[in-house]
Amino acid sequence: MATNCLVQNHLEVMQWQTSNACSKTIFRPTVWGRIYGKNIKIKSLDLDGESFTVGRAENNSLIISSKILDSQNILSGISKLHFMIRRSICDVYGPIYIEDLSRNGTFVNGERIGTNNRRILQNNDTISLSHPNYKAFIFMDIRSNVRYLDFPKEITAKYHVGCKLGSGAFGVIRLIYDRRTCIQYAIKTIKKNLLAINSQTNHLNEAKILKSLQHPCVIQLYDIADSIDSMYMVMEFMKGGDLLNRIVSKKRLSEQISKLYFYQMCHAVQYLHSNGITHRDLKPDNVLLKTPDDNTILKLTDFGVSKFVPNSTIMRTLCGTPLYVAPEVLKTRYHGTYTKKVDIWGLGVILFICLCGTLPFSDTYGSPVGEQITKGEFRFNHPSWRKISKNAIFLIKNLLIVDPGRRPSIDGILNNAWLRDRQMQSTAQNLMEMVPMDIENEENVFEEPPIKRLKF
């Protein structure tokens, strides 16, 4: 029954994949760019294929010869294949690249690209051949303008704005590319009119604090821009998608992979807590995977937005139905002061979902979901639990204790028997590029006394 809830949430999160997926149908050639001759005897040429090549060889899209280039000094420095302009046909708003394939150099706005290096072109860029002062072409991206309307110049000057990756309660996430390095990033737009009035004066300072955070399992914030009505956060782009998508696609994760992911999440939460940050919105949607592989590093995201909005707003809008909310949050009607233990509850819910692919709490179970959470009523009824170890089940029971004071600390979780797995820890440490820790023999590690709790 709860799987339906997961699927419904997953469909909302993954709408962008359907709309932006590369179609298998054959595209009709459409003009996406144009070059104008400056010191070359051509008026203009339309770019409508996947690539456009320029050089002395006769198989180029534009052949450079004495017929269109007067300077013999420049002509002698032109390579058989001097440069190539290309774009991805999978993304209408994807970047247009120029790649320098020459001996003597291709220049954009007077700056050398470098042999076999790429640069992202934008409107009115000047392309020079062999010498920065020999301005041969002016490039025009005829698809442009529409996607830049909502972005400040300090963003568009540095980044090419690509397709939409997703959206949330406070804005939209898009794929962007660094114009010089061509590295992909994700940019989140946060609308200020959705923020609390008393948060609008200091939200940028808070974001700058988040920018200083450095941990392999916490999403890296690289750049921040501010405008009258929005704040823009440039972050890592995670090609593996989110954990919710991964769980739904596989129906559930194996215990070993769940353990690997959970171990990394715990290290991320430990780091945030040590820096005075409580996430408050831990759920599979906010866990991103670096690659599509099973053994991949993951990173927590959206750990900063909760600092910009009041508790009532963050819990009601970001969480939607309170499937992941700690009981102390519900008991105070979202207006209480919460401790770091809300994150421990969130970790418990995520681990439960990873191992069986269903939710621990859901309206489909009979009683209202809020009542289930406040009473701590959940069951291990799914058939997959028959194959799950007792240590994993015992850990979940301890994480989902209603009384926050009786939940383990994040340090206590990392010392739990279930996570004392040499092979898993070695894999995780390699992914996180951490110095290997000394793993004591299991019999010498202090066991936490069992915590009494109701059985369901």
Side-chain angles (χ1 to χ4, degrees):
M1 298 288 284
T3 305
N4 294 333
C5 300
L6 275 176
V7 171
Q8 182 179 358
N9 289 342
H10 168 260
L11 289 176
E12 294 175 358
V13 172
M14 299 307 298
Q15 282 179 348
W16 67 270
Q17 281 193 332
T18 302
S19 61
N20 290 292
C22 186
S23 173
K24 294 182 180 179
T25 59
I26 298 175
F27 288 89
R28 291 184 178 181
T30 55
V31 177
W32 43 266
R34 186 171 290 124
I35 59 172
Y36 297 87
K38 193 168 177 68
N39 288 310
I40 291 244
K41 295 177 183 178
I42 62 167
K43 291 185 178 180
S44 67
L45 290 173
D46 288 343
L47 313 181
D48 58 6
E50 187 175 352
S51 63
F52 182 90
T53 59
V54 175
R56 288 190 297 106
E58 293 186 358
N59 59 345
N60 285 297
S61 307
L62 175 63
I63 303 170
I64 301 295
S65 67
S66 57
K67 294 180 180 179
I68 62 172
L69 196 156
D70 291 333
S71 173
Q72 289 301 314
N73 288 334
I74 296 297
L75 183 61
S76 63
I78 302 297
S79 300
K80 291 182 178 180
L81 176 56
H82 202 85
F83 70 82
M84 174 188 297
I85 300 176
R86 64 186 306 162
R87 70 171 185 118
S88 170
I89 63 172
C90 294
D91 180 7
V92 175
Y93 295 119
I96 295 173
Y97 302 98
I98 179 171
E99 184 173 358
D100 185 2
L101 301 168
S102 66
R103 304 186 310 274
N104 296 322
T106 304
F107 303 79
V108 174
N109 300 329
E111 295 185 9
R112 185 168 187 162
I113 301 172
T115 305
N116 296 324
N117 289 339
R118 297 188 301 173
R119 181 76 59 86
I120 294 176
L121 289 173
Q122 58 183 320
N123 277 325
N124 297 316
D125 275 349
T126 301
I127 302 172
S128 301
L129 301 177
S130 298
H131 192 279
N133 292 335
Y134 192 81
K135 300 174 181 178
F137 307 102
I138 300 294
F139 171 78
M140 184 67 67
D141 180 356
I142 64 174
R143 316 161 306 158
S144 296
N145 302 325
V146 175
R147 64 189 180 281
Y148 296 143
L149 292 178
D150 294 331
F151 290 89
K153 289 183 178 179
E154 58 186 302
I155 290 293
T156 57
K158 187 174 181 180
Y159 302 100
H160 171 91
V161 181
C163 64
K164 179 180 176 181
L165 295 176
S167 60
F170 296 96
V172 174
I173 302 174
R174 286 187 174 275
L175 179 64
I176 60 173
Y177 305 75
D178 187 289
R179 292 190 181 279
R180 291 181 178 275
T181 65
C182 302
I183 295 175
Q184 296 175 319
Y185 297 96
I187 187 167
K188 172 177 281 188
T189 303
I190 301 177
K191 296 294 183 182
K192 291 181 182 178
N193 60 356
L194 296 176
L195 301 176
I197 294 176
N198 60 357
S199 298
Q200 293 189 23
T201 56
N202 66 354
H203 71 278
L204 188 58
N205 289 332
E206 296 282 7
K208 288 179 179 177
I209 294 174
L210 297 175
K211 188 177 178 180
S212 66
L213 296 178
Q214 298 281 341
H215 189 275
C217 294
V218 171
I219 202 75
Q220 180 65 53
L221 179 63
Y222 289 106
D223 211 348
I224 304 167
D226 199 31
S227 68
I228 295 176
D229 61 352
S230 298
M231 182 180 71
Y232 305 88
M233 303 171 71
V234 177
M235 303 172 293
E236 287 179 90
F237 173 53
M238 303 288 282
K239 295 182 180 180
D242 63 60
L243 183 59
L244 179 61
N245 174 39
R246 184 68 59 91
I247 296 170
V248 171
S249 65
K250 293 180 175 292
K251 296 185 178 180
R252 70 180 185 89
L253 305 181
S254 69
E255 183 168 349
Q256 196 63 21
I257 292 300
S258 297
K259 187 186 299 185
L260 175 66
Y261 293 172
F262 185 76
Y263 182 78
Q264 295 180 66
M265 282 184 266
C266 288
H267 273 283
V269 170
Q270 183 187 51
Y271 176 77
L272 293 177
H273 287 187
S274 68
N275 282 275
I277 297 174
T278 304
H279 193 292
R280 294 193 290 178
D281 194 30
L282 286 176
K283 54 185 179 181
D285 317 46
N286 288 336
V287 180
L288 302 179
L289 303 162
K290 187 69 175 177
T291 71
D293 305 319
D294 284 341
N295 285 350
T296 183
I297 192 167
L298 58 76
K299 297 173 187 279
L300 294 189
T301 187
D302 273 0
F303 50 86
V305 176
S306 61
K307 298 176 73 69
F308 307 141
V309 296
N311 293 337
S312 58
T313 304
I314 184 77
M315 292 303 178
R316 281 201 288 262
T317 56
L318 281 186
C319 295
T321 55
L323 301 175
Y324 310 96
V325 181
E328 58 266 35
V329 177
L330 294 179
K331 287 179 179 179
T332 59
R333 299 179 182 272
Y334 301 96
H335 293 290
T337 300
Y338 316 122
T339 69
K340 298 175 183 178
K341 293 299 183 70
V342 297
D343 287 347
I344 305 302
W345 179 276
L347 287 171
V349 175
I350 293 176
L351 181 57
F352 188 102
I353 296 171
C354 285
L355 288 169
C356 71
T358 64
L359 293 159
F361 310 101
S362 172
D363 284 321
T364 61
Y365 295 160
S367 59
V369 67
E371 182 179 323
Q372 296 170 36
I373 292 174
T374 54
K375 292 182 178 181
E377 294 178 344
F378 62 94
R379 296 173 174 83
F380 299 97
N381 290 337
H382 195 277
S384 61
W385 290 112
R386 298 169 191 166
K387 299 180 180 179
I388 303 301
S389 68
K390 292 182 180 179
N391 280 341
I393 293 174
F394 179 72
L395 175 58
I396 291 175
K397 289 179 178 179
N398 286 344
L399 299 177
L400 298 181
I401 291 178
V402 172
D403 180 3
R406 297 174 58 213
R407 286 178 215 145
S409 66
I410 191 63
D411 293 334
I413 296 173
L414 284 168
N415 287 323
N416 184 270
W418 187 61
L419 292 178
R420 289 199 299 276
D421 180 328
R422 291 176 181 272
Q423 181 180 354
M424 179 278 297
Q425 288 190 355
S426 176
T427 301
Q429 289 161 13
N430 286 334
L431 290 170
M432 294 187 286
E433 298 181 350
M434 295 172 59
V435 177
M437 299 180 295
D438 291 329
I439 306 172
E440 301 181 54
N441 292 328
E442 198 166 296
E443 61 269 21
N444 295 329
V445 178
F446 175 72
E447 290 280 359
E448 294 186 11
I451 300 175
K452 293 182 179 180
R453 57 170 287 117
L454 295 176
K455 295 182 178 179
F456 299 103

